[in-house]
């Protein structure tokens, strides 16, 4: 297993990462909290991989340290950070990291990314070794052929119909390590493996006056007994009557070429494996001929057959309409000015799938400096975008849960004090009222008119009748308000802690929906009323309640926003209807609004990641994509919608209750 250096300024995170890595068989070369110490540690004990935080103690941040590491040692670096600003990401990208892990780190994701990084590095090292070996072989071969070209670099011979040699040159003699005398008069077919002699003989004997030249390759027995390869071009010479005189032939030893060819095939196989792992391929455009070449990986990403070669316009047409102008501008700038580009865009594949891709383009110039080709890489980002979406969802769930739990705690404690004190005041008021009534009766029994008048005067000054009427009402209203606060607190507690987050569990769907409606009240209370229709039998529903709370919250908030857009500037209020019922073996939840509806041009993109029609700052385009992933991928259910532009939309969530595990 690998030796890993951890560079992290948080001791708790260092310990967590170390524990996970050691548990999975890795060793820790060192744990440091500054970039300077990291460089010293590497010099002392070279690791196989580095987990690097960006914000570090000391004068050097993680990105600067990673840049130095890349230049000096080329050790794989995985960033482990909570920093994801555009500036940070642009700086980090220049250091060519192998992965990004966002805090808080999940153990399984850590091990997966470490494994992929190590595998990728292993393949890169192997490919680099093969490349150097291939370059070395080519260099050796070129030097050998260059020397031979100075002194007849090719083998030349003449022979008769039965392959009897009548002439051989020095190169021929040198190859077989025999003298011209030893070779002349010998049948060269005897120098070939027996199993290929007949096929070779048929090749040169097929020559005629009309077709006197042929070229072929065949195996040959080298002087050391090893089987090699020759490539020959034969020409038959005929007399005036068409009779064969002899054959003359020029040949070369292509054994090294064959070996190199085999190595190239192996290297190409390794490259294909690397490309398949990274969902990465290459492409090029010959600008003069307007010819596009795609690797098989690029074709596969587009859901097109291997070998597919589009025109430039056809290639552009795969991009989603909203990105076509952007890629055309980037490609043209590269083709005309040599400006490289690196873009993340969406394409629509041959099967109609809309996916995120990364496309990189660079210009290639001829000797005169003219741009003749644009070429680059093309990568399927579906997996990465999916992981980003899951990470965003997990963080959102965690943030909402922590926020709701924190607010519930902060509200609940003082509210409890107020509730207890208000109940005390209610009891005390009743006791004081009894005391006043008893005092009044006692004064009347004493019969002292002056004392009675004085008592009545005090009651009048205190506005006793008003207090007698209003104090009970005030106390009652206070208790009712506190009851409302308590219901909100309980809803927030249920919303933030509905069950085991990552375990399939049984929960009360009616209670979950009511809690979500309460939590989202601030979004809809000024623009809509909410009506619920819950059928019996919703208390034993199977699912992942924390995730489903997010689905229902997204749908209710979206409904409120749609209604707000419609009634904004008026005194009208819309209606949100939340329904839940059992349908065969499924539970069906409908969330209906009387908002603006969904325009037809947007209806096929509603569940696309990062697609939103909301203004900047109000929508990220991930709410419905996350909802779709939770319902369809995690619960094996379905989420659909029916809409009438200008009248409203109803989203229908169906959750199967049979065979949900597995």
């Amino acid at each position: 297993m690998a030796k890993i250096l951890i560079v992290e300024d948080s001791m708790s995170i260092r310990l967590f990462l170390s524990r996970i890595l050691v548990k999975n068989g890795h060793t820790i070369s060192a744990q440091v909290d500054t970039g300077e110490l990291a460089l010293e540690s590497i010099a002392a004990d070279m690791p196989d991989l580095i987990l690097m935080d960006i914000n570090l103690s000391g004068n050097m941040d993680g990105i600067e340290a990673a840049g130095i590491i890349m230049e000096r040692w080329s050790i794989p670096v995985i960033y482990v950070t909570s920093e994801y600003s555009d500036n940070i990401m642009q700086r980090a990208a220049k250091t060519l990291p192998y992965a990004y892990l966002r805090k808080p780190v999940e153990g399984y994701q850590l091990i997966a990314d470490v494994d992929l990084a190590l595998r990728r590095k292993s393949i890169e090292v192997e490919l680099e070794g093969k490349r150097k070996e291939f370059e070395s072989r080519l260099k050796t071969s070129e030097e050998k052929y260059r020397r031979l070209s100075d002194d007849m670099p090719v083998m030349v011979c003449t022979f008769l119909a039965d392959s009897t040699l009548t002439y051989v040159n020095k190169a021929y003699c040198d190859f077989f390590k025999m003298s011209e005398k030893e070779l002349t008069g010998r049948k060269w077919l005897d120098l070939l493996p027996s199993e290929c002699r007949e096929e070779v003989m048929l090749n040169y004997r097929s020559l005629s006056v009309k077709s006197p030249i042929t070229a072929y390759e065949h195996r040959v027995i080298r002087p050391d007994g090893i089987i090699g390869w020759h490539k020959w071009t034969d020409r038959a010479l005929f007399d005036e009557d068409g009779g064969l005189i002899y054959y003359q032939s020029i040949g070369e030893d292509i054994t090294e070429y064959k070996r190199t060819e085999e190595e190239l095939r192996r290297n190409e196989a390794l490259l294909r494996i690397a490309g398949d792992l990274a969902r990465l391929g290459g492409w090029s455009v010959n600008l003069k001929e307007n010819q596009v070449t795609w690797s098989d990986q690029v074709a596969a990403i587009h859901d097109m057959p291997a070998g597919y070669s589009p025109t430039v316009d056809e290639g552009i047409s795969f991009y989603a309409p909203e990105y076509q102008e952007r890629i055309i501008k980037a490609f043209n700038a590269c083709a005309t000015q040599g400006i490289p580009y690196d873009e993340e865009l969406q394409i629509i594949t041959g099967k109609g799938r809309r996916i995120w891709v990364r496309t990189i383009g660079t210009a290639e110039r001829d000797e005169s400096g003219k741009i003749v080709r644009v070429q680059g890489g093309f990568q399927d980002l579906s997996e990465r975008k999916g992981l980003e979406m899951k990470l965003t969802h997990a963080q959102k769930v965690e943030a909402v849960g922590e926020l709701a739990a924190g607010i519930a705690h902060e509200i609940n404690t003082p509210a409890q004090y107020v509730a207890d004190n208000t109940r005390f005041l209610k009891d005390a008021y009743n006791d004081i009222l009894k005391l006043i009534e008893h005092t009044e009766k006692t004064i009347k029994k004493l019969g002292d008119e002056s004392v009675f008048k004085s008592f009545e005067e005090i009651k009048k000054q205190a506005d006793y009748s008003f207090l007698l009427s209003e104090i009970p009402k005030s106390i009652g209203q206070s208790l009712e308000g506190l009851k409302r606060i308590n219901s909100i607190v309980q809803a927030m507690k249920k919303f933030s802690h509905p069950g085991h987050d990552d375990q399939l569990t049984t929960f009360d769907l009616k209670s979950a929906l009511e809690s979500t409606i309460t939590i989202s009240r601030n979004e809809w209370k000024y623009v809509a009323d909410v009506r619920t229709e819950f059928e019996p039998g919703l208390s034993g529903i199977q699912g992942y309640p924390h995730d489903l709370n997010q689905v229902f919250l997204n749908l209710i908030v979206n409904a409120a926003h749609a209604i707000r857009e419609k009634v904004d500037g008026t005194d009208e209020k819309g209606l949100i209807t939340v329904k839940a019922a059992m349908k065969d073996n499924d539970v069906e939840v409908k969330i209906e609004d009387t908002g603006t509806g969904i325009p037809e041009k947007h209806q096929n993109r509603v569940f696309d990641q990062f697609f939103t029609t909301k203004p900047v700052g109000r929508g990220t385009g991930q709410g419905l994509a996350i909802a779709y992933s939770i319902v369809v991928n995690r619960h094996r259910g379905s989420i659909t919608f029916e809409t009438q532009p200008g009248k409203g939309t109803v989203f229908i969530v169906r959750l199967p209750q049979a065979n949900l595990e597995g």
Side-chain angles (χ1 to χ4, degrees):
M1 300 301 283
K3 181 165 57 176
I4 298 174
L5 169 63
I6 299 175
V7 187
E8 168 62 55
D9 61 352
S10 168
M11 180 177 291
S12 62
I13 295 177
R14 291 201 303 269
L15 291 175
F16 169 78
L17 296 174
S18 175
R19 186 170 64 252
I20 295 297
L21 292 169
V22 171
K23 183 179 179 181
N24 283 270
H26 300 290
T27 59
I28 307 302
S29 64
Q31 299 181 39
V32 298
D33 60 354
T34 69
E36 293 84 352
L37 289 175
L39 298 179
E40 293 178 7
S41 174
I42 295 170
D45 187 10
M46 186 75 66
D48 300 310
L49 184 140
I50 300 170
L51 297 179
M52 178 75 71
D53 188 12
I54 289 180
N55 288 330
L56 298 172
S57 303
N59 298 322
M60 183 185 300
D61 70 4
I63 296 176
E64 185 178 354
I68 295 173
I69 291 167
M70 178 184 69
E71 292 176 359
R72 291 184 184 177
W73 297 290
S74 188
I75 302 172
V77 172
I78 295 177
Y79 285 118
V80 182
T81 182
S82 57
E83 294 289 339
Y84 265 68
S85 68
D86 289 343
N87 181 52
I88 290 292
M89 295 302 291
Q90 289 173 5
R91 287 184 59 218
K94 293 179 181 179
T95 66
L96 305 178
Y98 279 56
Y100 295 90
L101 279 170
R102 190 161 186 173
K103 299 177 182 177
V105 178
E106 294 289 345
Y108 71 90
Q109 188 63 56
L110 169 65
I111 295 304
D113 281 3
V114 166
D115 183 59
L116 285 174
L118 291 171
R119 288 174 183 270
R120 173 182 160 189
K121 183 62 177 179
S122 175
I123 291 173
E124 289 175 351
V125 170
E126 184 175 358
L127 290 176
E128 179 64 14
K130 293 292 184 181
R131 184 186 65 79
K132 290 181 178 179
E133 182 182 355
F134 172 57
E135 289 178 350
S136 176
R137 285 180 178 275
L138 283 179
K139 185 177 180 180
T140 301
S141 179
E142 288 173 356
E143 290 174 354
K144 181 179 71 174
Y145 292 150
R146 192 177 298 112
R147 289 193 301 269
L148 291 175
S149 67
D150 294 337
D151 185 14
M152 207 60 172
V154 295
M155 294 177 285
V156 178
C157 69
T158 60
F159 58 92
L160 304 177
D162 63 355
S163 83
T164 299
L165 292 167
T166 57
Y167 168 78
V168 294
N169 71 342
K170 184 177 183 300
Y172 199 108
C173 295
D174 290 343
F175 177 82
F176 289 103
K177 299 188 183 306
M178 299 170 69
S179 66
E180 182 178 357
K181 183 177 180 181
E182 290 174 309
L183 288 167
T184 304
R186 183 171 182 171
K187 295 180 179 179
W188 62 264
L189 283 176
D190 294 339
L191 302 174
L192 275 57
S194 58
E195 63 269 18
C196 68
R197 294 172 186 171
E198 184 176 354
E199 181 181 354
V200 172
M201 184 173 61
L202 290 175
N203 273 330
Y204 71 78
R205 285 189 173 181
S206 66
L207 298 179
S208 63
V209 174
K210 292 184 178 180
S211 180
I213 299 175
T214 186
Y216 52 90
E217 299 174 358
H218 63 73
R219 286 176 293 166
V220 63
I221 303 174
R222 298 164 59 95
D224 56 10
I226 297 175
I227 301 299
W229 281 87
H230 278 179
K231 180 179 181 180
W232 290 91
T233 300
D234 295 346
R235 181 183 184 92
L237 284 81
F238 299 92
D239 59 23
E240 294 180 356
D241 299 325
L244 176 69
I245 303 175
Y246 64 90
Y247 299 94
Q248 66 179 20
S249 188
I250 298 176
E252 58 180 321
D253 179 12
I254 60 170
T255 304
E256 288 300 314
Y257 170 80
K258 285 290 187 178
R259 289 175 181 172
T260 301
E261 189 178 59
E262 180 60 29
E263 288 178 3
L264 282 173
R265 278 197 291 269
R266 287 197 295 268
N267 288 344
E268 287 174 356
L270 289 173
L271 285 171
R272 281 196 297 273
I273 292 171
D276 291 340
L277 283 173
R279 294 286 289 163
L280 175 67
W283 58 270
S284 69
V285 178
N286 184 319
L287 298 177
K288 182 178 180 180
E289 300 176 5
N290 195 32
Q291 180 181 359
V292 180
T293 302
W294 280 359
S295 70
D296 289 348
Q297 287 89 349
V298 173
I301 292 170
H302 285 81
D303 286 334
M304 300 303 289
Y308 178 75
S309 180
T311 65
V312 172
D313 290 341
E314 287 171 341
I316 294 294
S317 70
F318 279 97
Y319 287 89
E322 64 272 23
Y323 292 109
Q324 289 186 8
E325 182 178 352
R326 182 170 157 189
I327 190 60
I328 290 172
K329 183 177 179 181
F331 179 83
N332 288 341
C334 188
T336 58
Q337 303 173 52
I339 300 174
Y341 64 87
D342 186 343
E343 300 281 356
E344 291 187 5
L345 311 169
Q346 282 189 319
I347 65 169
I348 300 174
T349 72
K351 294 182 179 179
R353 297 186 303 121
R354 180 182 283 265
I355 62 172
W356 281 93
V357 297
R358 180 186 182 190
T359 179
I360 300 173
T362 59
E364 180 183 334
R365 301 175 184 270
D366 61 14
E367 294 178 355
S368 67
K370 180 182 178 181
I371 298 173
V372 295
R373 186 183 303 275
V374 176
Q375 59 191 11
F378 197 85
Q379 185 175 23
D380 181 356
L381 299 181
S382 299
E383 184 176 354
R384 196 195 84 185
K385 292 292 185 179
L387 290 173
E388 288 176 356
M389 185 179 74
K390 290 178 181 178
L391 179 61
T392 300
H393 167 62
Q395 291 172 335
K396 184 176 180 181
V397 168
E398 181 181 7
V400 171
E402 290 178 356
L403 178 63
I407 293 174
H409 175 74
E410 293 300 324
I411 292 175
N412 190 53
T413 301
Q416 188 64 46
Y417 295 152
V418 175
D420 291 344
N421 290 336
T422 303
R423 283 190 288 270
F424 167 75
L425 290 175
K426 180 180 179 182
D427 295 339
Y429 168 77
N430 291 330
D431 292 340
I432 292 173
L433 185 61
K434 291 177 182 178
L435 178 61
I436 292 172
E437 290 174 350
H438 179 72
T439 301
E440 186 174 13
K441 290 178 182 179
T442 303
I443 291 173
K444 286 182 179 180
K445 286 181 180 181
L446 291 174
D448 189 330
E449 187 66 25
S450 63
V451 174
F452 182 75
K453 286 183 178 180
S454 176
F455 182 75
E456 288 295 320
E457 182 63 26
I458 291 172
K459 287 171 61 179
K460 183 177 180 181
Q461 290 176 359
D463 202 356
Y464 179 72
S465 299
F466 176 77
L467 295 177
L468 193 64
S469 170
E470 294 301 320
I471 287 177
K473 292 181 182 178
S474 298
I475 292 175
Q477 290 171 354
S478 296
L479 290 173
E480 182 62 31
L482 289 165
K483 183 179 179 182
R484 175 64 180 162
I485 291 174
N486 183 64
S487 69
I488 293 173
V489 168
Q490 295 306 315
M492 293 173 76
K493 286 183 176 180
K494 289 180 180 179
F495 186 85
S496 60
H497 300 292
H500 300 288
D501 296 355
D502 294 321
Q503 295 182 8
L504 185 68
T505 187
T506 299
F507 68 101
D508 188 335
L509 178 61
K510 177 176 178 291
S511 176
L513 287 168
E514 288 174 342
S515 297
T516 305
I517 291 169
T518 300
I519 290 295
S520 62
R521 186 171 184 273
N522 193 58
E523 292 287 341
W524 54 260
K525 65 181 180 180
Y526 298 114
V527 297
D529 295 319
V530 174
R531 183 177 69 196
T532 60
E533 298 179 14
F534 300 145
E535 292 189 6
L538 302 176
S539 60
I541 301 304
Q542 280 193 319
Y544 301 89
H546 212 144
D547 285 346
L548 290 174
N549 279 347
Q550 291 299 313
V551 174
F552 302 143
L553 181 63
N554 277 328
L555 295 179
I556 291 173
V557 170
N558 283 351
H561 289 175
I563 292 173
R564 179 183 288 113
E565 185 177 345
K566 183 176 181 179
V567 304
D568 192 30
T570 72
D571 295 330
E572 298 179 2
K573 291 183 75 174
L575 177 64
I576 299 174
T577 304
V578 182
K579 302 177 181 179
M582 294 299 300
K583 300 288 186 181
D584 299 325
N585 290 325
D586 298 347
V587 60
E588 182 180 83
V589 177
K590 291 184 176 181
I591 297 177
E592 183 175 358
D593 67 69
T594 58
T596 55
I598 303 172
E600 184 176 354
K601 64 180 180 180
H602 297 322
Q603 290 177 14
N604 64 337
R605 300 195 58 197
V606 164
F607 298 111
D608 287 355
Q609 189 180 9
F610 302 116
F611 175 75
T612 181
T613 59
K614 296 177 182 178
V616 175
R618 285 192 58 197
T620 64
Q622 297 197 71
L624 287 177
I626 291 173
Y628 183 90
S629 178
I630 290 170
V631 173
V632 176
N633 298 334
R634 193 163 203 202
H635 287 81
R636 302 179 185 175
S638 66
I639 178 169
T640 57
F641 65 89
E642 298 171 1
T643 186
Q644 295 186 58
K647 293 185 178 181
T649 302
V650 55
F651 276 88
I652 305 156
V653 176
R654 289 184 71 99
L655 305 171
Q657 294 300 290
N659 301 319
L660 190 55
E661 294 189 67

